[in-house]
Amino acid sequence: MQRFLDPTVLAGISSLDLIAKTVVDGFVSGLHRSPDFGFSQEFAEYRAYVQGDDLRHVDWNLFARTERCYLKRYEGETNSQLVVLLDASNSMQYGSRKPVKADYARYLAASLFYLAIRNQHDAAGVIVFDDEVREYVKPSTRQGQLTRLLAALEQAEPRSRTDFLKPLEHFQALLHRRGIVIVISDFYEDPETIVRALEALRFRGNDVVLFHVLDPQELRPELKGPAILVDLESQQKIEVVPEYVASRYREKLQTHIEQLRTRTQAAGLEYQLLPTDQPLDTVLREYLSLRQAER
Amino acid sequence: MGFLAPWFLAGLAALGIPIFVHLLRRHIVVPQPVSSLMFFERGIQSSTRHKRLRYLLLFTLRFLLLLLVVLAFADPFIRRFANDTRSHLLLIVVDRSFSMRSGTRFSDAKQQALSLLASKPRSQRAQILALGGRVEVLTQPSPDSNLLRTTLEGIEAGDGQGNFGDLGRTIRTLNDATPGPVDLHLFSDMQKTGMPGNFADAVLPPQVNLTLHDVAKASTLSNWTVESISAPAELLDPKDTTKSHVQAVLAGANTPEAIKKVSLVIDGKILSSREVKVPANGRATVEFAPLDIKYGFNRCEVRIEGDDALPADNGSVFVVRRSDPQRVLFVHRSADERSALYFGTALNAASHGAFVLQSVAVEQVTDLDPNKFAFTVLSDATALPSIFEHTLEQYLSKGGSVFMALGLDAGRRTHLPLWGGDLKRVRNFASSEESAAVSQVDFTYPGLEQTQPGRDNGGWAGTKFLYAVMVDPSNARVAARLSDGTPLLLEKPIGEGHLLVFASGLENLTNDLPLHPVFVSFVDKTSQYLSGSEQLSGMRMVDSFVQLRNAAEASKSEAATSEVIDPDGRRPLSLKDSQKVQTFRFSRSGFYQIHFANGRSAVIGVNPDRRESNLEPMSQEIRALWTGSNAGAAEVEKAPVAGTKYQYVSLWWYVMLLAFVVAVMETVFSTRYLGTQREEI
């Protein structure tokens, strides 16, 4: 089943639903051997009763033996809310191989939704944005929520350019309940601007994760000779020499990634770099880890 | 510089192709998309300019390639002065013919040739040839001056006849083998007699520039010589004045009338002297008789006393052999008495007693040894006793000679002894109305030799043949044929000997040949040829050949040894050559001792060609014609080389070589360029 976590294999599947099911089923079957994760309704711990606790959770058998009130706590007892902020700007349509960044991001989002709704019974929603909010599906656990989310992903074709500050106010208005916020983007923006835009969500009690999606060719670009490059968002063209790409470009990109990682961690955000040739289980693992930490 | 095929320059229109491809056609650059230019900076070197530079380099190479190919087809040439002789082959020909012995001609020729050799540029190649008798190529083309000088100094004067026709043929052959400009320098006395009768034989190739170096100091020199000698090669009786005499013809060239003293010298002793008056530029005859000579070989010389321009030709040598009459074995059918009569009469009339015929019936020959006879005649004796037939086979293989006439008895036989083949059929013309005549006669054959045969086919036209036997002529020389094509006289070499077959009888029943005068001549010459006495003595000319053995014997591994001792007492044949060589060339004048492979010995006097005695040089007109003989041909040839101030050197090879280099460079550049472009797209 691990084979179905490979992005190259997933690129051959047309249906997002099937992609998400393939990824999650493959991921979950691998979890049975893992000691770190488990399903909900499993016993977790005993906690001393405090006033106001629901008496339904008191372990009366223990009270009979010890004459003390203890509450029995279970894993996954509390449902989370997952909101995915999906960057659908033009820069996401770049890809030196299949899948391109936009598709990879959609696979990510679909797999997260499938895992959250079908396996964890969490509420899930999505906000598709570029320089404004293009699509919003309110988090919910209602019947047919997964279908709506996947339909929103299908329609999230890349266009326009990215702007984090502009749709920020909309994010805050839309996300009034705390939960897990996953931002999927290539983050071609100043790290300071990105952190400033997203740390407001953190202040509202959300666990914010940044999935930085980049094509391998963007991480390690190679040019055989001087070439003319055109920006997919601004359509600006410049002439570039291979020597620059092999040295200065990589330095600047690594600096950008390091700043992004440092600034997000400083702001209490999670950061994960995801080349599009990397399997999707990393993302799912990150989600479950956050969900457990949140509880 | 010019072009030998200028119409190919029209191909220069093809130069428009790279111009269109590289300069006129708009180049489309496909930009590469990237997510963001956030981390990119404009390159210092313009990629477009870089590509354009590569384009221009590629364009230049392609333009140059087309240009060079077109130029190569147009065949460019450069013109340079023809006196740049470094590329010319210097051909030095030294005349070593007999006439060069006159005065200091030969030493002068060698000296002048050495001077020319010393003045040649060090890098120029030269080759040395010697003319005289035959043209000898002494060296290959070489720039090595030491080798050339040593070779030149080693040339000695010879006794051969210089023929400029032979020189022309040799130069044409050499020039065909290694074409190129040649500077030919001929050091000679320019004898008029050296020029061939057909001037075309002496014409040189167009690329050969002939320079004549005349070493004859005086234009006309007086010279007397013994032009010819008439003497018997074999003598039976010295007192027989009909044969025992020597007649010599003296000739003068550019000479005044003079009285010359002529001596006959035999074995180094002056036997007799005469004074004879030789007219101006004329001839005189002197005769010595009788010849008082001893038995065996007598080395004779007729010598003109006194000095002249060419003392070497004042004597003429010859050999007279004195011997007893030789017996001839005549084997005939017992019923045939006529053939012996006719043959014996003719032999006696011709040879004046040199041969004695011993007639024997075929039934009585069993115990006879043919080695005791000069040769053997089998007259219609095809039914030989087997012992005698075997003896004759041995006799033939060791050098004996047999003359076999096929009469009426042969027609009844199917097997022909000694010949090695069956009798095919009999041609009997008596039954038809017309008899056969002799239609074809090979007058070069020794038995039929005639220098100037008349209209009657040398006397053979009047003979009538009523009967002849068809003999298989394979591996045989047919010397005469009848009018219906039947071979009449055939000779086949067997071992070292000769078997001569006359396809008719020697009597007057099968033909009327014995009744004609030509029969005596035929018997005389055939007898001399078969007995071998003809070549055992007498005189020959320098550069003539003598046959040491038969061709069939020369190819055998264990052939009999022959030996030659030249006038200096040396043996010119090596041990291997003495067993293999078929013929020997007389290269010098004087007395040669020869031991033939068939066991016979001979002493032969050899004299230079008397045309060498006429020292008159060729006229200036002929010289001018010869030295300019290649000018007309040069105009016909497209590339003028000799006779003009310039020569033309074609450059197409170098241009094609350069085009190849450019093509390789273009391939390398275009491959790199196109490969990069594919990846970028």
Side-chain angles (χ1 to χ4, degrees):
Chain A
M1 293 298 285
Q2 287 296 319
R3 191 170 70 86
F4 295 108
L5 300 176
D6 186 351
T8 310
V9 177
L10 296 175
I13 303 174
S14 58
S15 166
L16 267 180
D17 185 14
L18 184 58
I19 289 173
K21 184 176 186 305
T22 305
V23 171
V24 174
D25 286 352
F27 172 68
V28 168
S29 65
L31 287 181
H32 289 299
R33 294 186 297 274
S34 171
D36 298 329
F37 300 94
F39 296 103
S40 61
Q41 306 305 318
E42 288 181 358
F43 172 76
E45 61 181 356
Y46 284 107
R47 179 170 66 82
Y49 174 79
V50 295
Q51 191 174 1
D53 285 340
D54 192 346
L55 292 175
R56 289 179 296 179
H57 298 303
V58 175
D59 188 345
W60 297 110
N61 291 330
L62 188 63
F63 175 74
R65 287 199 299 272
T66 63
E67 293 185 349
R68 289 180 184 175
C69 283
Y70 285 97
L71 296 183
K72 199 175 183 180
R73 301 292 302 269
Y74 294 92
E75 295 282 356
E77 175 180 36
T78 306
N79 288 339
S80 297
Q81 175 179 283
L82 168 67
V83 176
V84 173
L85 302 184
L86 181 64
D87 182 0
S89 63
N90 255 341
S91 64
M92 291 293 284
Q93 70 178 349
Y94 176 79
S96 64
R97 46 173 289 174
K98 285 190 173 182
V100 299
K101 289 192 292 184
D103 288 339
Y104 188 82
R106 281 198 286 243
Y107 299 164
L108 274 178
S111 302
L112 287 169
F113 292 147
Y114 193 92
L115 180 65
I117 293 174
R118 290 285 168 85
N119 290 65
Q120 306 298 326
H121 306 288
D122 290 341
V126 68
I127 296 174
V128 180
F129 72 98
D130 38 43
D131 54 351
E132 59 185 11
V133 175
R134 282 169 49 187
E135 184 72 38
Y136 172 58
V137 178
K138 186 178 177 183
S140 171
T141 56
R142 287 186 300 164
Q143 189 73 27
Q145 178 67 5
L146 181 61
T147 307
R148 284 190 289 278
L149 290 170
L150 295 181
L153 292 179
E154 291 281 6
Q155 295 169 3
E157 287 298 326
R159 70 181 193 194
S160 189
R161 53 191 303 174
T162 314
D163 188 349
F164 285 94
L165 291 176
K166 195 173 177 182
L168 177 63
E169 53 191 61
H170 300 288
F171 295 164
Q172 291 176 349
L174 296 173
L175 302 174
H176 45 76
R177 181 188 165 187
R178 65 176 189 147
I180 299 173
V181 177
I182 294 179
V183 186
I184 304 174
S185 173
D186 52 9
F187 296 113
Y188 276 111
E189 187 60 81
D190 179 26
E192 195 63 38
T193 305
I194 295 168
V195 170
R196 197 164 61 243
L198 298 178
E199 67 182 359
L201 298 175
R202 174 64 184 161
F203 294 156
R204 296 175 67 91
N206 294 298
D207 287 326
V208 182
V209 183
L210 279 68
F211 283 153
H212 192 178
V213 178
L214 286 177
D215 190 90
Q217 180 68 18
E218 290 179 298
L219 290 167
R220 297 173 297 277
E222 288 182 359
L223 282 182
K224 293 289 176 62
I228 296 175
L229 304 182
V230 55
D231 192 319
L232 284 173
E233 293 188 355
S234 65
Q235 300 302 316
Q236 182 189 354
K237 295 178 183 176
I238 62 170
E239 298 165 11
V240 180
V241 292
E243 294 77 16
Y244 173 81
V245 172
S247 55
R248 283 287 295 152
Y249 170 83
R250 294 190 186 187
E251 289 174 12
K252 291 175 85 170
L253 181 65
Q254 286 303 320
T255 305
H256 173 73
I257 291 172
E258 283 305 315
Q259 284 182 354
L260 206 53
R261 191 192 307 276
T262 309
R263 292 290 299 121
T264 51
Q265 286 176 353
L269 311 176
E270 294 290 331
Y271 172 84
Q272 186 72 39
L273 176 64
L274 292 175
T276 58
D277 57 351
Q278 181 172 314
L280 299 175
D281 60 337
T282 309
V283 179
L284 303 180
R285 202 183 299 274
E286 180 74 15
Y287 168 67
L288 289 181
S289 172
L290 282 172
R291 190 174 179 278
Q292 191 176 25
E294 185 187 44
R295 191 177 67 238
Chain B
M1 182 172 172
F3 298 98
L4 293 176
W7 53 88
F8 273 106
L9 291 176
L12 289 174
L15 293 178
I17 296 172
I19 293 174
F20 170 76
V21 170
H22 286 264
L23 300 181
L24 301 181
R25 199 178 69 159
R26 187 179 174 188
H27 183 67
I28 300 171
V29 178
V30 180
Q32 300 181 59
V34 290
S35 297
S36 172
L37 295 177
M38 186 175 171
F39 305 117
F40 287 102
E41 291 179 5
R42 188 177 297 277
I44 297 172
Q45 182 188 22
S46 168
S47 62
T48 309
R49 196 180 310 137
H50 186 73
K51 284 179 181 173
R52 190 177 300 135
L53 187 64
R54 288 197 308 193
Y55 272 128
L56 287 175
L57 183 58
L58 198 59
F59 162 73
T60 307
L61 288 173
R62 288 175 174 172
F63 190 88
L64 198 59
L65 178 61
L66 274 174
L67 183 69
L68 289 172
V69 170
V70 171
L71 288 182
F73 272 93
D75 202 356
F77 66 87
I78 57 171
R79 196 172 63 164
R80 66 182 183 190
F81 284 104
N83 57 7
D84 181 12
T85 57
R86 290 175 189 275
S87 61
H88 289 209
L89 173 65
L90 177 63
L91 202 58
I92 298 175
V93 181
V94 178
D95 186 356
R96 59 190 290 262
S97 63
F98 182 69
S99 62
M100 293 291 284
R101 292 178 182 270
S102 173
T104 59
R105 290 183 178 189
F106 184 69
S107 59
D108 290 348
K110 278 176 67 172
Q111 198 59 43
Q112 290 183 25
L114 286 168
S115 301
L116 175 69
L117 189 64
S119 65
K120 87 170 181 65
R122 183 182 293 272
S123 60
Q124 188 181 16
R125 294 177 310 134
Q127 189 174 14
I128 294 177
L129 277 67
L131 171 67
R134 58 180 181 176
V135 180
E136 293 180 76
V137 180
L138 299 179
T139 66
Q140 293 300 313
S142 168
D144 187 351
S145 298
N146 290 332
L147 170 71
L148 297 167
R149 190 174 62 251
T150 307
T151 306
L152 206 52
E153 288 172 344
I155 300 176
E156 293 180 352
D159 293 333
Q161 197 248 337
N163 190 318
F164 299 128
D166 291 343
L167 178 63
R169 277 188 289 274
T170 304
I171 299 299
R172 286 196 293 274
T173 304
L174 289 175
N175 198 248
D176 286 344
T178 53
V182 176
D183 286 339
L184 171 61
H185 290 262
L186 173 61
F187 299 88
S188 170
D189 54 3
M190 304 302 163
Q191 249 185 311
K192 183 180 180 180
T193 55
M195 193 54 79
N198 183 5
F199 182 75
D201 290 343
V203 171
L204 301 173
Q207 290 183 311
V208 178
N209 187 23
L210 174 63
T211 305
L212 299 177
H213 299 267
D214 190 355
V215 294
K217 292 177 179 175
S219 59
T220 55
L221 290 173
S222 298
N223 185 41
W224 287 272
T225 184
V226 180
E227 190 178 53
S228 65
I229 295 279
S230 175
E234 193 166 3
L235 192 61
L236 297 175
D237 182 9
K239 296 177 182 176
D240 181 4
T241 53
T242 56
K243 295 195 69 176
S244 179
H245 69 277
V246 174
Q247 191 177 61
V249 176
L250 276 58
N254 297 314
T255 52
E257 185 181 82
I259 296 175
K260 305 299 291 185
K261 183 180 180 184
V262 184
S263 301
L264 173 64
V265 181
I266 298 178
D267 291 335
K269 296 179 181 176
I270 298 176
L271 186 69
S272 175
S273 293
R274 302 274 192 281
E275 283 193 349
V276 60
K277 183 178 180 182
V278 183
N281 294 325
R283 289 176 173 78
T285 304
V286 60
E287 187 168 329
F288 298 95
L291 294 176
D292 186 14
I293 55 176
K294 65 181 188 313
Y295 276 96
F297 296 104
N298 294 271
R299 303 176 186 215
C300 310
E301 181 182 11
V302 172
R303 185 187 300 162
I304 303 174
E305 303 296 339
D307 205 2
D308 56 10
L310 184 59
D313 71 343
N314 287 357
S316 185
V317 298
F318 58 99
V319 176
V320 180
R321 185 169 73 107
R322 181 179 174 186
S323 63
D324 289 331
Q326 299 182 73
R327 292 189 299 162
V328 175
L329 178 61
F330 193 91
V331 182
H332 60 88
R333 189 160 51 91
S334 56
D336 176 23
E337 295 292 340
R338 296 189 181 191
S339 58
L341 176 64
Y342 283 118
F343 191 86
T345 305
L347 187 65
N348 192 37
S351 64
H352 299 284
F355 295 102
V356 176
L357 199 68
Q358 183 172 342
S359 178
V360 181
V362 67
E363 293 83 3
Q364 301 170 344
V365 296
T366 306
D367 297 332
L368 285 178
D369 181 7
N371 290 307
K372 296 178 179 176
F373 298 88
F375 62 97
T376 302
V377 179
L378 301 178
S379 176
D380 202 17
T382 49
L384 294 173
S386 58
I387 296 177
F388 186 69
E389 185 176 345
H390 178 69
T391 306
L392 279 180
E393 288 175 354
Q394 298 289 322
Y395 167 68
L396 273 171
S397 64
K398 291 180 179 176
S401 300
V402 175
F403 178 69
M404 185 159 52
L406 304 178
L408 294 171
D409 186 55
R412 294 188 284 271
R413 309 285 177 183
T414 56
H415 176 67
L416 186 61
L418 305 176
W419 185 259
D422 294 336
L423 293 172
K424 287 189 171 181
R425 57 195 170 98
V426 174
R427 307 286 295 174
N428 192 348
F429 302 99
S431 57
S432 59
E433 293 182 356
E434 291 187 359
S435 58
V438 179
S439 62
Q440 297 177 22
V441 180
D442 182 0
F443 291 109
T444 63
Y445 182 72
L448 305 172
E449 195 171 18
Q450 291 187 34
T451 52
Q452 290 180 334
R455 289 184 175 181
D456 58 348
N457 206 9
W460 288 89
T463 58
K464 294 178 182 177
F465 282 79
L466 304 173
Y467 174 93
V469 179
M470 280 284 284
V471 178
D472 181 11
S474 56
N475 299 327
R477 176 180 177 180
V478 179
R481 288 180 186 272
L482 295 179
S483 52
D484 68 335
T486 304
L488 179 63
L489 187 64
L490 307 91
E491 185 197 333
K492 180 186 280 187
I494 297 177
E496 290 291 343
H498 304 272
L499 176 59
L500 194 62
V501 170
F502 187 67
S504 191
L506 293 176
E507 75 307 302
N508 63 346
L509 298 177
T510 54
N511 57 70
D512 67 348
L513 175 64
L515 308 179
H516 288 266
V518 72
F519 182 67
V520 178
S521 169
F522 170 61
V523 170
D524 179 30
K525 289 188 168 63
T526 303
S527 301
Q528 289 185 23
Y529 172 60
L530 293 177
S531 68
S533 60
E534 187 186 39
Q535 65 170 5
L536 296 183
S537 56
M539 54 193 293
R540 301 281 192 284
M541 197 173 288
V542 171
D543 293 325
S544 63
F545 289 84
V546 63
Q547 186 169 356
L548 299 178
R549 57 168 53 84
N550 286 338
E553 292 300 302
S555 59
K556 291 183 179 178
S557 58
E558 295 181 357
T561 304
S562 59
E563 194 172 55
V564 177
I565 299 175
D566 69 6
D568 295 331
R570 293 191 293 251
R571 290 174 170 78
L573 293 180
S574 64
L575 188 60
K576 185 179 179 182
D577 288 342
S578 64
Q579 291 180 324
K580 292 289 180 186
V581 171
Q582 187 183 351
T583 57
F584 177 77
R585 184 177 72 95
F586 296 116
S587 58
R588 299 198 47 203
S589 61
F591 294 103
Y592 279 86
Q593 294 181 54
I594 301 173
H595 181 74
F596 294 99
N598 61 11
R600 297 185 178 184
S601 297
V603 177
I604 296 172
V606 179
N607 295 298
D609 192 319
R610 290 308 173 200
R611 286 177 290 183
E612 287 291 306
S613 298
N614 189 347
L615 302 178
E616 183 183 357
M618 69 173 75
S619 65
Q620 293 298 326
E621 289 78 10
I622 294 178
R623 294 186 198 200
L625 186 62
W626 194 23
T627 53
S629 61
N630 50 1
E635 291 174 5
V636 177
E637 296 285 330
K638 193 166 71 172
V641 175
T644 58
K645 289 175 65 178
Y646 299 98
Q647 64 176 357
Y648 299 90
V649 179
S650 177
L651 300 175
W652 79 270
W653 167 247
Y654 302 102
V655 176
M656 279 306 286
L657 194 64
L658 191 58
F660 175 74
V661 173
V662 172
V664 171
M665 291 174 64
E666 193 273 343
T667 304
V668 171
F669 274 92
S670 61
T671 303
R672 287 182 57 190
Y673 165 68
L674 292 175
T676 305
Q677 191 179 46
R678 273 198 302 274
E679 289 180 12
E680 286 172 352
I681 288 173

